[in-house]
Amino acid sequence: MPQAGCGTYPRKVISHLFNPYNWGDAIDLARRPLILFLLFCLWSIGSARADGRFGTPDWVAPDSLHGNAFALDGPRVAPRDHERGWETALRAPFRVVTLPVRLLASGLEMGIGFLGPRYLDPKVKAPPRGGFKLTPNIAYGAPKDMGIGPALSWSGLPEVDAHFKLAGSWSASDRRRASLNAELGERRPLALQLRATYDYEPNRRYFGIGNDTQESQRSYFLLERVSADATVRLGASPLRQLRLGGGSSSMSPRRGTQDSPFLEDVFAPGITPFEREATGALWYGVSGDLAALDQGRDPSRGLHARVDLRRAMGMEGDDPDFDQWRLEGRAYLPVFAKRRVIALRAVYAGVEPKGDSPTLPFYRLAASEGGNRFAGFASERFRDRQLLLGRLEYRWAILYRLNAIALYELGEVAPHKRAFRLKSAHRSYGGGLRFGLNETRTLRCELARSDEGLHAVVALRGDF
Amino acid sequence: MRRAWLCLVWCILGPACVNATMSIAQAAAVDPKIDERTWVDHDRRPIPQPAEWEPSFWGQQFRQGFSDPVAHIFDIPDKLLWFTQGLGARRHREAVNVNAFDEVPRSSWFTNRNHMRAVPIAQLRQGPDSVLQPAKPWTIKKAKQGGRNAGFQIKDADGKRWLVKLDARGHAQLSSGADMISRTLIHASGYNVPHNEPVRFSRADLSIDPELLSGAKGDKFTEADLESVLVRGAVFPDGRYSATASLFLSGKVLGAPSMNRLRPGDSNDWYTHRHRRELRGLFVVCAWLNDWDTKDHQFLDIFTETRDSLGHVEHYMLDVGASLGAAAMGPKDPWSGFEHAIDFPWTARRLLTLGFVQEPWRRANQNTGIPSVGNFESKEFQPGSFRPLLQQPAFRELTDRDGYWGAKIVASFSDAQIAAAVEAAHYDDPRASEFLTRTLIERRDKTARYWFARVAPLDFFAVEGSTLRFHDLAVDIGLEGARAYDVELKSTRGGTSQKLRLDGAELPLGKFDKDTPRLELEIRVAGNRARAAYVELTRTGSTWTVTRVRHG
């Protein structure tokens, strides 16, 4: 490889003087003897130059490119920069048309710019400092049920690993929620959680009881729920945890106030059990998670079992006693690579009356909602004593933490387990996106089709 | 109907008129001389200090990461221009701050260094400042704010202020080594960088400023806070900590510039940053060094006062530690440098192939197994396919001419210079120095091959006596053997055209008619599809001079 050497002074001088690249500078330099002197000094120590890679030095860079000193005043290389006139003319109509979108993007940019430093900046994990904090509280749910309100939290009460939170929210559809949550030993293997909630939901859906109800029978009712419970938690990891708990739950159905038609306008009186009757129950039970997964947030291999068993006793004479359960199994299998996964999920949920309680209130039956929702159907579309759901998903990573999913699902409700029939199961298929937020929470956007049309779901759930 | 037509005409002509009027008004207000042959773009004229301003960090992330790429996908005029390229429309605008010789004149952004005149090894190693290490003991003056590395601000025993950033736990010399190598090579390339040095220190070298300890001035930093910072840092076997020390820049900090607009209040700032050649060409340098974090906030503007409260703005590139195989929190993610954080084309490909497409970064064997190097390689490296974390507007505007210019800088580094830059990081693990030197040399050669195949690397045109001489950079650096060149020659007199073949990099000018005042040459490498170099020669008396050069 040819390497350049250093030229002798006369050769450099000649090259410099004859090189047109230097002429503009030469004019500058002639005006400024001081700079000329400085450059001469630099030039004289030029023998310290390293060998360049670009051939012999018959081309010599103008000295004004080097050294630390040069004139503050002098010419610019080009006039001010402006968009080409014809380009402005070409773009102007499109700019006018897209103005609303651009304004929206600017607004989002400003909003993220404002919120980012408060919520997105990486923070050093320091021990939580005790103290009282008042923050906004957003309650997730259906778009109309997105509630907002205040949250009052107090970390370190009464000790370091304790947390207390009182939150309330109110949505545009008049859904009112309040919760009180106190946790002792947040990140410890043994923890105690006390919880009380109030939920006033004026637009719950009801389609009737059973697997063959009609979508055209959609109706609405109001359900007011008050619950309080205490849970002892064994195990710090949410994936290996046993929970023992007990508490009370009271539910009160009434005539809806928001969407219509109302339940009583669609179903004849007496058909719907406990149509207007509130019930209360004291319960105790055990729940837990046991998982063997290769990773918590986006598992690609492993098994996960979830169990929730409860026994409830009516609080008053007419209130029914019942057993309630929810069993869930998940399995993950990679397809030649961790980024492609087949995920299976099966849910068996139910409620069974005990002793002298032949019927159960319609609002305590297992319903296809939340984690039990059937993908291609409206939320709460089916309800009965037992519910079975099986889902097969193919997930593949398309971006950091973001997976695309293709899903196929079978779901069915029945009065007892022998009544389940594969041919009467409701089928859904579709696809969507899944974003793993952390080990216990994912954001899912799904679009699924069934014989009742297309249904979209955006859910921020702590599962699957 | 007539009103609609009027509206349409107004929409089209209105902004163009406003644009033109603004240009005229600004030109009238400031009337500097324009000299397209200058080698110094005088943008250091004394001005009052501009107000502190920088784009919002998270807003900019949203813009560069999401809204700009989406807007670009739906940019209909851009697509129209793409369709009409065959008719001569130019989709991408060429860089604006380029002189008649297709070079970047010196400015507050850039100084021509290694590609013009090789930087001596000692000078290259020294970097931007003569001081080498912060003198111990150190006094902590403030906790580090922002960024992912743990660290603090110190005053050294000589009274100089430094920002100390610890390497991630378990990865001593990873980020500090990458920072040292990259800052050395980027500085020698011509960019302004702060003086960063890899340092080692022990707990006994540190003390906390009493005022900071007591919180007398608001900020409080206790011994416990210091422990919580140090526990996140990398430790050498002898118990000392591994970190980067960055000397504070002198002058008033104005904030990060935006690549999409000019700095408010800086009347020297004439050229939209994304249209600056040195910022577009930086793509090639960053690709070479895998400097994958190049968002706007990795740059910093400093107001340097010269006299009577007047001064000028200097533009620096900061924090180049997220380069080679390193990231702030450990080895870089395998996809860094291969994909944007939100990369729409790759996302679409993965979506449509159900995840069965194999990306280059998955094929690449990036895990070096050397803790102080991280994830780095050269085999799958494609110089034109480098992708920084966010879409950098200046990089998106890159043309072949800009790319060639950047490649010329990269190719100008000799093996010895690269080895010296790597040695400057003082790796404890000898495998690290050997691997990085070899990999950087391989990446440099790939870079040169890629861009020199797109634009003929014919440069440094000079007339000696009656001969035009030039350099074939690919031959100079040993990528190619001696080769022939095709010259298409146009004289302005009569507009005649003549084709010649040269066996070497010189063209005798004596045979041209003495009455020919100007020659235009289109020179390409024989049998090569690379875009030609254009040279304009003007005769003054009996002497020819090179008056214009354009590559590609």
Side-chain angles (χ1 to χ4, degrees):
Chain A
M1 185 186 302
Q3 292 284 321
C6 296
T8 55
Y9 286 164
R11 187 172 177 184
K12 283 201 296 188
V13 171
I14 291 164
S15 299
H16 184 84
L17 290 178
F18 279 90
N19 197 309
Y21 285 44
N22 303 323
W23 287 13
D25 256 7
I27 298 164
D28 252 5
L29 296 180
R31 288 179 189 156
R32 294 170 179 80
L34 177 64
I35 292 162
L36 194 60
F37 173 73
L38 286 171
L39 287 175
F40 176 77
C41 295
L42 287 169
W43 186 34
S44 62
I45 55 169
S47 55
R49 270 171 47 187
D51 288 348
R53 295 189 86 209
F54 297 145
T56 51
D58 50 2
W59 187 93
V60 175
D63 281 344
S64 61
L65 299 179
H66 308 282
N68 294 322
F70 65 84
L72 294 177
D73 254 339
R76 300 297 302 260
V77 69
R80 280 176 190 278
D81 168 37
H82 290 289
E83 190 176 56
R84 297 167 288 190
W86 61 265
E87 195 177 339
T88 306
L90 175 68
R91 289 187 180 279
F94 296 96
R95 284 176 178 156
V96 172
V97 170
T98 58
L99 184 65
V101 182
R102 289 189 293 123
L103 285 175
L104 176 69
S106 300
L108 283 171
E109 186 182 330
M110 281 173 66
I112 291 168
F114 176 76
L115 295 173
R118 287 158 183 81
Y119 298 104
L120 300 173
D121 269 350
K123 290 179 178 65
V124 177
K125 276 191 181 170
R129 292 187 179 175
F132 158 92
K133 208 158 70 173
L134 185 66
T135 52
N137 172 48
I138 295 172
Y140 304 101
K144 278 198 304 184
D145 282 349
M146 285 272 276
I148 190 157
L152 181 78
S153 59
W154 201 331
S155 287
L157 177 77
E159 59 164 75
V160 175
D161 260 359
H163 188 78
F164 168 89
K165 187 175 182 183
L166 179 64
S169 68
W170 197 9
S171 78
S173 63
D174 194 28
R175 184 166 180 183
R176 304 164 209 173
R177 279 173 279 202
S179 67
L180 186 149
N181 199 337
E183 215 170 327
L184 210 65
E186 259 186 313
R187 286 171 288 272
R188 290 188 185 169
L190 178 63
L192 173 68
Q193 186 177 29
L194 301 171
R195 202 168 41 185
T197 59
Y198 169 78
D199 191 351
Y200 176 90
E201 193 177 359
N203 57 348
R204 272 184 83 80
R205 292 177 187 144
Y206 182 66
F207 295 83
I209 296 170
N211 197 44
D212 302 319
T213 53
Q214 299 300 308
E215 197 196 12
S216 56
Q217 289 185 309
R218 177 194 294 244
S219 64
Y220 296 88
F221 69 103
L222 184 154
L223 186 65
E224 190 174 18
R225 286 178 286 189
V226 181
S227 68
D229 57 66
T231 307
V232 174
R233 213 169 52 204
L234 302 167
S237 164
L239 298 177
R240 290 184 184 194
Q241 204 167 69
L242 183 67
R243 296 175 288 270
L244 305 168
S248 72
S249 154
S250 64
M251 295 188 183
S252 172
R254 295 205 289 277
R255 186 180 173 84
T257 59
Q258 297 290 316
D259 297 324
S260 59
F262 300 124
L263 186 150
E264 45 277 85
D265 300 337
V266 176
F267 296 92
I271 288 182
T272 312
F274 291 80
E275 185 184 323
R276 278 277 188 269
E277 293 169 54
T279 58
L282 292 171
W283 64 270
Y284 62 91
V286 60
S287 66
D289 281 79
L290 183 62
L293 304 172
D294 58 346
Q295 50 192 351
R297 188 167 48 209
D298 297 308
S300 65
R301 185 191 299 273
L303 297 167
H304 185 178
R306 310 188 80 185
V307 178
D308 190 351
L309 306 170
R310 292 182 184 191
R311 170 151 291 178
M313 293 141 297
M315 287 168 90
E316 291 175 14
D318 292 342
D319 293 347
D321 300 340
F322 57 92
D323 284 343
Q324 193 177 6
W325 68 91
R326 187 174 187 280
L327 308 173
E328 183 176 344
R330 301 170 184 176
Y332 304 94
L333 193 70
V335 184
F336 307 118
K338 280 185 169 184
R339 63 184 186 276
R340 296 182 295 263
V341 178
I342 288 177
L344 289 158
R345 177 170 172 255
V347 176
Y348 177 42
V351 56
E352 198 61 42
K354 300 294 292 179
D356 301 334
S357 313
T359 54
L360 282 168
F362 77 99
Y363 46 83
R364 288 203 186 264
L365 296 173
S368 59
E369 62 167 331
N372 300 345
R373 179 175 174 167
F374 297 174
F377 297 86
S379 180
E380 303 165 76
R381 172 68 183 83
F382 301 98
R383 70 175 71 216
D384 211 328
R385 288 188 180 179
Q386 297 194 11
L387 177 147
L388 207 52
L389 174 69
R391 172 182 276 223
L392 171 69
E393 258 185 26
Y394 172 64
R395 297 178 184 168
W396 68 103
I398 55 169
L399 205 59
Y400 179 62
R401 288 198 204 174
L402 184 69
N403 284 277
I405 51 176
L407 66 93
Y408 180 76
E409 195 179 84
L410 291 172
E412 190 174 0
V413 294
H416 51 84
K417 65 182 173 191
R418 281 186 297 279
F420 285 115
R421 294 282 179 277
L422 185 62
K423 65 179 181 185
S424 54
H426 300 286
R427 288 168 170 76
S428 309
Y429 57 90
L433 297 170
R434 175 189 182 276
F435 186 78
L437 297 168
N438 54 40
E439 280 191 346
T440 58
R441 191 162 280 198
T442 56
L443 174 65
R444 297 180 73 104
C445 307
E446 291 175 3
L447 193 64
R449 174 176 278 282
S450 67
D451 50 13
E452 292 187 2
L454 265 177
H455 283 82
V457 180
V458 178
L460 188 68
R461 284 196 206 124
D463 55 14
F464 209 48
Chain B
M1 188 66 189
R2 193 177 162 190
R3 183 175 291 179
W5 274 107
L6 277 173
C7 273
L8 185 65
V9 170
W10 183 86
C11 283
I12 294 171
L13 294 182
C17 292
V18 170
N19 199 356
T21 312
M22 279 171 62
S23 308
I24 294 163
Q26 280 175 335
V30 185
D31 188 25
K33 190 178 143 196
I34 304 296
D35 179 3
E36 61 173 4
R37 289 183 193 161
T38 185
W39 281 94
V40 178
D41 185 25
H42 291 87
D43 63 350
R44 286 182 168 108
R45 293 194 306 161
I47 57 164
Q49 183 187 321
E52 283 178 42
W53 175 87
E54 69 174 9
S56 141
F57 177 82
W58 286 104
Q60 197 71 357
Q61 298 256 317
F62 172 74
R63 174 189 272 266
Q64 292 186 357
F66 183 75
S67 67
D68 268 3
V70 171
H72 193 63
I73 291 170
F74 295 102
D75 185 355
I76 297 168
D78 185 67
K79 308 296 173 284
L80 291 174
L81 288 174
W82 184 80
F83 275 115
T84 52
Q85 276 181 128
L87 303 173
R90 300 199 76 142
R91 189 173 164 211
H92 288 292
R93 197 175 161 196
E94 291 297 344
V96 288
N97 65 325
V98 177
N99 67 14
F101 309 107
D102 213 13
E103 290 288 351
V104 176
R106 185 178 174 178
S107 70
S108 57
W109 290 83
F110 183 80
T111 305
N112 286 281
R113 294 198 179 104
N114 203 57
H115 75 295
M116 289 290 183
R117 186 181 289 180
V119 177
I121 298 291
Q123 207 174 314
L124 179 126
R125 162 66 187 84
Q126 183 183 301
D129 202 285
S130 57
V131 64
L132 281 181
Q133 290 277 323
K136 289 168 184 165
W138 301 343
T139 308
I140 297 175
K141 302 295 283 186
K142 201 175 178 183
K144 177 174 174 281
Q145 290 165 336
R148 290 181 182 272
N149 303 79
F152 35 77
Q153 294 179 16
I154 60 156
K155 185 183 258 189
D156 72 3
D158 297 334
K160 291 184 188 302
R161 287 189 78 122
W162 301 74
L163 175 67
V164 176
K165 292 184 286 185
L166 283 102
D167 284 326
R169 190 156 192 84
H171 296 280
Q173 297 192 297
L174 175 64
S175 192
S176 57
D179 190 293
M180 183 62 189
I181 296 169
S182 296
R183 80 91 168 135
T184 303
L185 294 172
I186 289 173
H187 180 256
S189 297
Y191 297 88
N192 301 328
V193 290
H195 187 78
N196 296 357
E197 287 287 335
V199 292
R200 297 164 190 236
F201 65 93
S202 62
R203 177 68 182 81
D205 296 326
L206 300 174
S207 63
I208 303 174
D209 184 75
E211 282 187 345
L212 185 66
L213 197 60
S214 65
K217 286 188 176 175
D219 290 342
K220 192 172 179 180
F221 191 77
T222 62
E223 295 285 348
D225 292 329
L226 176 57
E227 291 305 325
S228 72
V229 168
L230 291 176
V231 82
R232 296 165 59 201
V235 185
F236 286 107
D238 64 1
R240 288 188 296 168
Y241 294 93
S242 171
T244 299
S246 183
L247 184 63
F248 267 53
L249 295 163
S250 58
K252 175 78 183 164
V253 174
L254 298 177
S258 165
M259 291 300 140
N260 282 312
R261 55 174 294 184
L262 305 176
R263 170 164 287 284
D266 181 4
S267 56
N268 287 324
D269 198 10
W270 276 27
Y271 313 119
T272 312
H273 301 157
R274 66 175 185 275
H275 293 312
R276 298 192 74 103
R277 161 71 63 84
E278 64 271 37
L279 292 178
R280 292 178 175 194
L282 182 61
F283 170 87
V284 183
V285 180
C286 288
W288 173 42
L289 299 173
N290 197 35
D291 184 0
W292 50 270
D293 191 0
T294 56
K295 56 184 176 286
D296 290 2
H297 289 75
Q298 300 297 87
F299 296 81
L300 185 68
D301 286 354
I302 297 281
F303 181 74
T304 307
E305 200 173 301
T306 46
R307 61 176 168 81
D308 305 332
S309 304
L310 298 178
H312 62 267
V313 182
E314 294 277 345
H315 310 273
Y316 287 84
M317 210 178 149
L318 290 184
D319 201 0
V320 290
S323 58
L324 308 181
M329 304 304 287
K332 75 168 185 73
D333 288 319
W335 53 266
S336 296
F338 289 87
E339 280 186 30
H340 300 301
I342 302 175
D343 197 300
F344 289 99
W346 273 112
T347 303
R349 268 189 255 183
R350 281 188 287 261
L351 185 68
L352 296 174
T353 58
L354 303 180
F356 279 90
V357 66
Q358 196 180 30
E359 304 88 338
W361 57 268
R362 288 191 202 276
R363 287 197 297 270
N365 180 18
Q366 298 186 67
N367 186 356
T368 60
I370 307 170
S372 49
V373 175
N375 297 328
F376 194 42
E377 65 90 52
S378 60
K379 284 195 174 57
E380 289 293 333
F381 167 60
Q382 297 293 330
S385 304
F386 170 72
R387 295 288 176 269
L389 185 67
L390 296 174
Q391 282 203 12
Q392 171 58 261
F395 292 176
R396 198 172 51 225
E397 301 284 343
L398 179 90
T399 63
D400 281 350
R401 285 174 66 187
D402 305 321
Y404 166 75
W405 178 85
K408 187 162 59 175
I409 291 178
V410 171
S412 73
F413 286 96
S414 66
D415 295 359
Q417 285 177 313
I418 293 171
V422 174
E423 281 306 313
H426 299 300
Y427 285 106
D428 280 359
D429 189 339
R431 293 176 303 162
S433 303
E434 188 276 327
F435 176 85
L436 285 171
T437 306
R438 176 166 45 83
T439 307
L440 283 172
I441 288 170
E442 285 167 3
R443 289 172 73 102
R444 175 202 66 193
D445 291 345
K446 269 193 156 181
T447 302
R449 272 183 221 283
Y450 176 83
W451 288 105
F452 291 176
R454 299 177 72 85
V455 176
L458 311 178
D459 219 314
F460 303 120
F461 294 89
V463 177
E464 284 187 12
S466 60
T467 305
L468 172 71
R469 292 186 201 281
F470 58 91
H471 286 254
D472 182 338
L473 306 189
V475 174
D476 282 359
I477 63 175
L479 292 181
E480 302 284 348
R483 48 189 182 172
Y485 307 96
D486 288 333
V487 181
E488 189 171 346
L489 187 148
K490 288 177 188 167
S491 73
T492 50
R493 191 162 170 266
T496 54
S497 179
Q498 190 182 343
K499 287 185 178 171
L500 298 170
R501 172 155 290 198
L502 306 178
D503 292 328
E506 54 184 42
L507 171 68
L509 299 170
K511 60 185 174 184
F512 296 113
D513 188 351
K514 285 182 180 173
D515 295 335
T516 305
R518 209 173 76 201
L519 284 174
E520 286 176 22
L521 310 175
E522 187 180 307
I523 310 177
R524 57 181 76 242
V525 178
N528 192 308
R529 298 177 69 182
R531 295 170 68 178
Y534 300 86
V535 185
E536 183 189 275
L537 295 164
T538 305
R539 186 200 287 275
T540 314
S542 60
T543 310
W544 288 99
T545 50
V546 178
T547 47
R548 190 172 297 278
V549 175
R550 185 161 66 82
H551 300 99

